Amino acid sequence: MPTRPAFILHEQPPSVGLEDGDATRELSPLWLRERTQSPDQLEPMTQQRLFDSHAIDTALTLTEVTRIDEHHAALAFSDGHRETYDLRVLADELDDTATFPAAEPWDAGLDPARVRFDWTRVRDEPANFRAALDAYLRLGHLVLTGVPTDPERILEVGRHFGYVKETNFGRYFEVYSRPSGNDLAYRSVALGPHTDNPYRTPVPGIQLLHCLINETQGGLSTLVDSLKVLERLRHESPEGYALLKSTPVRFRFVDAGTELVTQRAMIQTDDDGHPTGVHYSPRLDALPLLSDAETRVFHAARQRLGELFSDPAYERRFALAAGELMLFDNSRVLHGRTSYDSNEGRRHLQGCYLDSDGPRERFASLLKHRESIEEVA
Amino acid sequence: MPTRPAFILHEQPPSVGLEDGDATRELSPLWLRERTQSPDQLEPMTQQRLFDSHAIDTALTLTEVTRIDEHHAALAFSDGHRETYDLRVLADELDDTATFPAAEPWDAGLDPARVRFDWTRVRDEPANFRAALDAYLRLGHLVLTGVPTDPERILEVGRHFGYVKETNFGRYFEVYSRPSGNDLAYRSVALGPHTDNPYRTPVPGIQLLHCLINETQGGLSTLVDSLKVLERLRHESPEGYALLKSTPVRFRFVDAGTELVTQRAMIQTDDDGHPTGVHYSPRLDALPLLSDAETRVFHAARQRLGELFSDPAYERRFALAAGELMLFDNSRVLHGRTSYDSNEGRRHLQGCYLDSDGPRERFASLLKHRESIEEVA
């Protein structure tokens, strides 16, 4: 657990600092004023400000700073506002990582039991649901067992974890083969690791695949954590990593009726620049127009990514049996499957997509629910 | 119409260049090899490559370049591949802007007739639908007239333009007041310009608001184009603009049951760095932790944005009558409403969200459809 930040209060001239290693970082009076805790300035339930953020005077200063006790300080501002701040609340404001478990990149050594949950218990027991969501947020995927194989059950599971996202494939889609099937949709070829729909805006956040029938020996499911692979790529080729992170490439989908085109970088980052996943679909991407030297660095990095995504050291490979459902972050975790012999029997999966933030919303709701129970007890 | 790029072919040493003003830009052999037009390397309908992009040798070179005629060149590569390229197809590859109309920032002077369309004609006449989509892609919003006011009609309109996105507010939501209503949900206060749900991931791309009943004189709808305002902010304060574009801020939504938190920059850009809109909700945003000097630059820019968004020079303001529906890009176009007197009568709107790329997909489909008709004719 990280140490709580310590505040340094100065009465003259009035200032509030933050201990940052050996140095002190001064907090802007604007930052402090905006983080009012005063009940007449915040709506009690939503904690929304009752004033617009831009109403604060840009030239605002602190006029008084007085320590009251270990956890409280009285502050006065040049706009006449006076308030007693709880320093612990301010400290929480500085630590946004507290609510959600952080991502834990994994490789082939991951213990499968950590992501395997019984669907009925996840659905009916809040503690079990919370454990499943915790695993999903850390590891980017889950395997649910005991999901009945009647049609459209996938939508019930989807709605439990978030909001089903409709696409050009409908609310859900069918993945199946038939003996002697020869249409592309019924092909039984291997599918290399990839993410889905990089050409959509927004890209589907989460994918669910539910196995209804599997009478074949092959067709194993594969999953790879791009966060683990990206750690290695960044180590091996910082320049290639930087190019894949900053250069938009074109992803295009065309069929008889439509065309979708998007420009986006292959390595996806949050607004702080930390990697959160990839857009990776090596039949749909296109080299950007760079100098020949940069093109070769870019291509070599893309090639190395492809090698690492297929490396058994990073890959989970397992049979998804009838009644099992896998749910994975479509940008973080790449999926694929091995080939199979459709003459052995049928293989039928249903798939659907969810928006990204459903599991975070569900997780936060369960935490709130637990807090309110603890307050009552 | 932009001029088509011209190619410079050299036979010895073999190279393909692109005329770029006075200079020539050499095209990487990797870029050329990946853009194969050869029928044995591309799936005919989807134009998807039949090989993975990373399969190309990083050290690939051009071994022969021969001009065949004005529009064709024969190229050979060190991996043994030989192909005749149509240079017009290569030129199209270099011009991604061709398919979709570009955004046209607008202000209060916009001619309202440009965005006003009759719903029945949009639904039933492809040429009218294409004109409406063209206006939406250029101007970021539409007003549809003659939308019947029976419930859930909004979902029919939504499905015509794209994919309805479910959120914590459901598939659609109600915005209404009643005489003497006093609950927050029934308040008749003015709402300043804002974008919806900046705390969600993904943020809803498009919002629809359908007026079922309006018996009041006030409650005018307001719309502002952030692209126009951002042009001015960038001109007035390049530093403030840059900070708002690059610094993640926290947007948080809390209610009794849940908590949603996201970090994202207020000015939204595509992967090329061009502005596409904003996340703007001045009751939900939070100043980032910067130095005091940077905080003041950031805050002043945010304050100026707020002023400009409320400036009549940038604002469209109009009564949305019963049977009218407005549809707008939730990141590009801010919405709000003036206050009204709920004692005058009822005001009832229904709202819903769509994913961003529905209109682009529909537009491309209509173009394809037209092309196929012209080919037959």
Side-chain angles (χ1 to χ4, degrees), chain A residues 38-50, chain B residues 184 254:
Chain A
S38 180
D40 64 335
Q41 309 236 319
L42 289 179
E43 207 280 314
M45 189 182 76
T46 62
Q47 295 288 301
Q48 287 178 25
R49 280 189 301 273
L50 295 169
Chain B
L184 256 178
V254 184

Side-chain angles (χ1 to χ4, degrees), chain B residues 86 101 135 139 151 176 240 266 326 330 347 352 356:
Chain B
D86 186 328
L139 303 167
Y176 58 102
M266 287 183 66
M326 59 184 193
N330 180 51
R347 182 175 186 275
C352 79
S356 277

Side-chain angles (χ1 to χ4, degrees), chain A residues 21 24 26 37 46 77 80 83 120 157 171 178 203-204 241 245 259 283 286 358 372:
Chain A
T24 302
E26 192 180 331
Q37 302 163 12
T46 62
F77 296 89
E83 178 178 340
T120 309
V157 177
R171 278 197 307 156
R178 295 186 290 218
V203 170
Y241 178 91
K245 185 171 136 173
E259 177 163 356
R283 304 288 171 102
S372 67

Side-chain angles (χ1 to χ4, degrees), chain A residues 160-296:
Chain A
H160 197 69
F161 281 89
Y163 303 103
V164 174
K165 175 184 164 61
E166 192 179 337
T167 69
N168 47 318
F169 302 111
R171 278 197 307 156
Y172 66 98
F173 50 89
E174 312 280 355
V175 186
Y176 57 103
S177 70
R178 295 186 290 218
S180 321
N182 62 353
D183 186 278
L184 256 179
Y186 308 137
R187 288 264 294 273
S188 53
V189 291
L191 295 174
H194 65 286
T195 64
D196 270 19
N197 288 23
Y199 46 82
R200 287 220 82 93
T201 304
V203 170
I206 299 170
Q207 184 169 172
L208 276 65
L209 282 172
H210 180 203
C211 181
L212 304 184
I213 304 170
N214 193 356
E215 299 168 344
T216 70
Q217 297 298 306
L220 299 179
S221 295
T222 62
L223 295 174
V224 179
D225 188 357
S226 68
L227 296 185
K228 190 77 180 178
V229 167
L230 289 174
E231 282 177 0
R232 175 130 166 211
L233 183 72
R234 176 152 57 174
H235 180 75
E236 286 184 3
S237 167
E239 297 148 327
Y241 178 91
L243 267 182
L244 294 191
K245 185 171 136 173
S246 62
T247 315
V249 304
R250 194 189 61 200
F251 292 99
R252 182 160 64 177
F253 173 83
V254 184
D255 69 14
T258 192
E259 177 163 356
L260 286 161
V261 187
T262 304
Q263 300 270 3
R264 47 171 57 104
M266 287 183 67
I267 297 180
Q268 193 181 359
T269 53
D270 59 24
D271 275 353
D272 281 323
H274 301 122
T276 55
V278 292
H279 301 297
Y280 187 79
S281 195
R283 304 288 171 102
L284 303 173
D285 61 344
L287 278 173
L289 191 65
L290 300 168
S291 71
D292 183 47
E294 280 189 316
T295 305
R296 289 180 196 275

Side-chain angles (χ1 to χ4, degrees), chain B residues 1-23:
Chain B
M1 194 161 168
T3 347
R4 275 219 154 129
F7 296 99
I8 318 290
L9 307 180
H10 282 292
E11 299 204 356
Q12 210 49 251
S15 76
V16 179
L18 190 65
E19 213 170 76
D20 189 10
D22 292 338

Side-chain angles (χ1 to χ4, degrees), chain A residues 115-122 143-148 322-325:
Chain A
V115 293
R116 211 170 155 84
F117 291 85
D118 176 77
W119 161 238
T120 309
R121 296 189 59 202
V122 164
V143 176
L144 300 175
T145 60
V147 182
E324 292 182 345
L325 182 155

Side-chain angles (χ1 to χ4, degrees), chain A residues 18 25-31 34-35 43 45-61 93-94 96 99-100 163-168 184 199-202 246 248 250 252-261 263-265 271-272 280 282-292 295-296 299-300 302-303 306 355-358 360-361 364-365 368, chain B residues 18 25-31 34-35 43 45-61 93-94 96 99-100 163-168 184 199-202 246 248 250 252-261 263-265 271-272 280 282-292 295-296 299-300 302-303 306 355-358 360-361 364-365 368:
Chain A
L18 190 65
R25 181 170 188 176
E26 192 180 331
L27 290 171
S28 173
L30 294 172
W31 191 90
E34 194 196 64
R35 273 162 180 80
E43 207 280 314
M45 189 182 76
T46 62
Q47 295 288 301
Q48 287 178 25
R49 280 189 301 273
L50 295 169
F51 60 95
D52 285 340
S53 51
H54 51 73
I56 304 169
D57 176 12
T58 308
L60 189 85
T61 57
E93 282 282 317
L94 292 164
D96 270 334
T99 312
F100 299 105
Y163 303 103
V164 174
K165 175 184 164 61
E166 192 179 337
T167 69
N168 47 318
L184 256 179
Y199 46 82
R200 287 220 82 93
T201 304
S246 62
R250 194 189 61 200
R252 182 160 64 177
F253 173 83
V254 184
D255 69 14
T258 192
E259 177 163 356
L260 286 161
V261 187
Q263 300 270 3
R264 47 171 57 104
D271 275 353
D272 281 323
Y280 187 79
R283 304 288 171 102
L284 303 173
D285 61 344
L287 278 173
L289 191 65
L290 300 168
S291 71
D292 183 47
T295 305
R296 289 180 196 275
H299 179 67
R302 180 175 70 159
Q303 197 170 58
D355 283 327
S356 277
D357 59 5
R360 285 168 72 95
E361 185 181 343
S365 301
K368 288 248 161 192
Chain B
L18 190 65
R25 181 169 188 177
E26 192 179 332
L27 290 171
S28 173
L30 294 173
W31 190 92
E34 195 196 65
R35 273 162 180 79
E43 206 279 316
M45 188 182 74
T46 63
Q47 295 289 301
Q48 286 178 25
R49 280 190 301 273
L50 294 169
F51 60 95
D52 285 339
S53 52
H54 52 73
I56 304 169
D57 176 12
T58 308
L60 189 85
T61 56
E93 282 283 315
L94 290 165
D96 271 333
T99 312
F100 299 105
Y163 303 102
V164 173
K165 175 184 163 63
E166 194 181 334
T167 68
N168 47 318
L184 256 178
Y199 45 81
R200 288 221 81 95
T201 305
S246 62
R250 194 189 61 203
R252 182 160 62 179
F253 172 82
V254 184
D255 71 12
T258 192
E259 179 165 353
L260 286 161
V261 187
Q263 301 268 3
R264 48 170 59 101
D271 276 351
D272 281 322
Y280 187 78
R283 304 289 171 101
L284 303 173
D285 60 344
L287 278 173
L289 191 66
L290 299 168
S291 71
D292 183 47
T295 305
R296 289 179 197 276
H299 179 65
R302 181 175 68 160
Q303 199 170 55
D355 283 326
S356 277
D357 59 6
R360 285 168 71 93
E361 184 180 342
S365 301
K368 286 248 160 192

